[in-house]
Amino acid sequence: LLAWAVHAAGMGKRALLCVLTALMVLQLCWMLWYVGRSAAQRSLIRPKDTHAGARWLRGSITLFAVITIVLGCLKIGYFVGFSECLSVTEGVFPVTHAVHTFLQVYFLWGHAKDIIQSFKTLERFGVIHSVFTNLLLWANSVLNESKHQLNEHKERLITLGFGNITIVLDDHTPRCNCTPPALCSAVSHGIYYLYPFNIEYQILASTMFYVLWMNIGRQVDGQQHPKMRFKVNGVMAGLALGLAALAATIGVVVVYLVWIGRSQTKSESALIMFYLYATTVLLLMGAAGLLGIWIYRIHERALDQSKNPARKLDADLLVGAASGSWLISWGSILAFLCAETCPPYTWYNLPYSVLVIVEKSIQNVFVTESVYREPHRRSDDIRTLRVVTVCNSSPSCPGAAPHGGQLWIPPAFGCRPEYDNGLEEIVFGFEPWIIVVNLAMPFSIFYRMHAAASLFEVYCQS
């Protein structure tokens, strides 16, 4: 993967796709064997992890899987259009990936809660192989999507007349004609707009397999936890606020993509608009998180210290994924402090970068405290007070889920001021800063997706 990325001699895309296809085929063989063995032993009573494989998680991975299969169909169409100069592996890979995606989702729907107690050595190999296969597919998608984003960024720099940066487009377009040209161009652009969904799918799949791997051989106490239920009482204020933020986000993304790179004035206006919008949303999210933490502190509840791999993984993923955007934000702050001159629009970058660090820290504390607290019965008076207070101002209502889930849209669909404001590139250099952004941005996108799901779970438990 890395050799192909840096154009190493003798290492083409064909070799990369052959390796990834072989890994998927091996995982398919293991999953078919496991499903067949489970079907043969379906009369046996098996222990289950009630925390693993939640319905919202399986629903999310199904949605992303459907879009991933659509992406595979577009890749097949791309291969057909350029079949004269593409290797057969570029047609075999999307077909194998589509089959792998379908069977993997079927497997996770039926077996994500399993606690495996037999053939443990073989199953550990199969499950951890599935984890790293999905991570490699994720890395491949990130690399392809990053190359596309980087090329667009370089083209914007050319448009804006940056002459002090060496610009060489990293173009992997086949060296032959595609028929019909209009359809091939549409398919090619459509592929890169679907990559963010594929990236999220691979991460979700790898995390669900990781929980399954952690549960192999685990001894359970047999205690059943109550099922989460979605409640609709008193949520309209939060829901309306969240949907309003979602609509504003879509509008900001559209205007940003239309203006950026058209001229110096429009590019600066697009950046200022984005920073003002993002700063407002982050302030609201941070305030909601602080209020939620305060509510938990005044209603003292014991912490649940029981062993639970799924819950521990949720907390670890929040902190680990947040480190990506923290790295970018600290880099932006350092660039602002060290730059000899700062254009007026870059001043908006400073409060934005600080708020990214602060808001994610607050949100992580709130979610972690929520998932580790034991549920308990409350009196009607306290229950009423909690519903009125939380559902109007804190992240324990569905309005926080749209807030956390819109925030992944701008970077996923090309609205990335880290690329476009130019200050960091002047301070750190073009290539070092682009490498940092390309490595950290996928984690930032995943953080928002995972945080939205975690906030929704917090609401259902409250």
Side-chain angles (χ1 to χ4, degrees):
L1 184 66
L2 294 177
W4 175 72
V6 298
H7 309 286
M11 183 59 65
K13 193 172 184 179
R14 177 181 178 182
L16 170 63
L17 296 182
C18 284
V19 172
L20 294 176
T21 301
L23 292 174
M24 286 190 291
V25 169
L26 180 58
Q27 184 186 344
L28 283 170
C29 293
W30 172 76
M31 288 192 296
L32 289 171
W33 180 84
Y34 185 91
V35 170
R37 189 171 69 87
S38 299
Q41 300 176 350
R42 59 181 176 272
S43 60
L44 299 179
I45 299 177
R46 295 183 174 184
K48 300 285 186 180
D49 182 357
T50 55
H51 285 280
R55 289 184 179 179
W56 63 263
L57 188 57
R58 287 180 290 173
S60 298
I61 199 173
T62 301
L63 174 62
F64 293 137
V66 170
I67 300 177
T68 298
I69 293 175
V70 173
L71 173 63
C73 294
L74 291 178
K75 286 186 175 182
I76 294 172
Y78 183 82
F79 168 76
V80 172
F82 288 102
S83 57
E84 295 180 2
C85 55
L86 290 180
S87 169
V88 177
T89 55
E90 299 210 31
V92 174
F93 175 79
V95 173
T96 307
H97 195 196
V99 175
H100 175 266
T101 300
F102 177 81
L103 183 58
Q104 185 166 253
V105 171
Y106 172 80
F107 178 92
L108 291 173
W109 265 91
H111 302 284
K113 295 179 179 291
D114 289 1
I115 298 179
I116 300 171
Q117 302 290 358
S118 60
F119 294 94
K120 288 186 285 189
T121 300
L122 177 61
E123 306 298 14
R124 282 193 176 98
F125 164 77
V127 177
I128 205 65
H129 171 75
S130 301
V131 171
F132 283 101
T133 297
N134 280 282
L135 287 178
L136 286 172
L137 292 170
W138 166 78
N140 180 59
S141 298
V142 167
L143 180 60
N144 281 282
E145 198 264 348
S146 296
K147 282 179 176 290
H148 176 73
Q149 292 286 349
L150 184 56
N151 280 343
E152 286 192 345
H153 173 56
K154 290 176 178 178
E155 290 170 355
R156 291 171 185 168
L157 292 179
I158 294 173
T159 302
L160 295 175
F162 282 87
N164 59 342
I165 298 177
T166 302
I167 299 174
V168 179
L169 294 182
D170 190 5
D171 193 7
H172 289 277
T173 304
R175 304 304 179 188
C176 62
N177 294 326
C178 175
T179 53
L183 179 61
C184 292
S185 177
V187 169
S188 179
H189 284 83
I191 286 175
Y192 290 102
Y193 282 109
L194 296 183
Y195 264 122
F197 300 95
N198 179 37
I199 290 171
E200 302 306 323
Y201 162 74
Q202 303 294 171
I203 294 181
L204 286 177
S206 62
T207 55
M208 293 179 74
F209 273 111
Y210 179 75
V211 171
L212 182 63
W213 181 73
M214 291 290 291
N215 278 328
I216 295 177
R218 176 186 166 202
Q219 300 298 321
V220 294
D221 55 8
Q223 181 181 2
Q224 296 294 323
H225 297 272
K227 293 183 178 180
M228 295 187 299
R229 295 182 178 180
F230 180 78
K231 301 172 287 296
V232 296
N233 294 332
V235 304
M236 294 308 298
L239 185 60
L241 183 61
L243 292 177
L246 180 62
T249 299
I250 295 174
V252 167
V253 170
V254 171
V255 174
Y256 185 95
L257 295 178
V258 171
W259 283 0
I260 198 71
R262 297 302 176 95
S263 66
Q264 188 73 33
T265 302
K266 286 190 175 181
S267 293
E268 293 181 2
S269 299
L271 289 168
I272 293 173
M273 174 195 65
F274 175 84
Y275 287 134
L276 290 175
Y277 143 81
T279 300
T280 301
V281 174
L282 290 172
L283 282 172
L284 291 174
M285 288 289 291
L290 286 174
L291 183 57
I293 294 172
W294 176 75
I295 290 174
Y296 275 125
R297 296 293 168 84
I298 63 174
H299 294 92
E300 296 181 358
R301 290 164 54 186
L303 295 179
D304 183 3
Q305 302 293 346
S306 61
K307 181 180 178 182
N308 185 271
R311 183 179 60 190
K312 184 178 184 300
L313 180 63
D314 281 342
D316 292 344
L317 283 176
L318 282 175
V319 177
S323 62
S325 56
W326 284 339
L327 176 62
I328 296 176
S329 296
W330 280 116
S332 297
I333 294 171
L334 186 62
F336 182 85
L337 296 177
C338 296
E340 295 180 359
T341 59
C342 296
Y345 66 89
T346 60
W347 283 88
Y348 296 93
N349 189 14
L350 182 61
Y352 165 72
S353 299
V354 172
L355 281 173
V356 167
I357 298 173
V358 173
E359 187 274 330
K360 287 189 176 181
S361 300
I362 294 172
Q363 186 166 264
N364 287 350
V365 173
F366 172 74
V367 174
T368 302
E369 287 205 5
S370 301
V371 298
Y372 273 92
R373 289 184 182 269
E374 292 182 345
H376 70 284
R377 295 183 178 275
R378 296 182 293 270
S379 66
D380 291 339
D381 292 339
I382 296 178
R383 188 188 306 272
T384 302
L385 175 63
R386 177 69 176 272
V387 168
V388 171
T389 304
V390 173
C391 288
N392 277 289
S393 303
S394 85
S396 293
C397 63
H403 269 77
Q406 53 86 359
L407 286 175
W408 76 278
I409 293 175
F413 290 94
C415 187
R416 299 183 178 182
E418 297 83 4
Y419 278 134
D420 298 318
N421 70 46
L423 184 64
E424 294 88 349
E425 293 167 4
I426 294 173
V427 174
F428 300 114
F430 180 80
E431 291 187 358
W433 178 246
I434 291 301
I435 290 173
V436 169
V437 174
N438 283 345
L439 290 175
M441 188 60 69
F443 291 96
S444 179
I445 296 173
F446 172 73
Y447 173 85
R448 289 302 179 186
M449 294 293 298
H450 185 62
S454 298
L455 289 170
F456 185 78
E457 183 178 359
V458 169
Y459 167 76
C460 293
Q461 292 176 345
S462 64

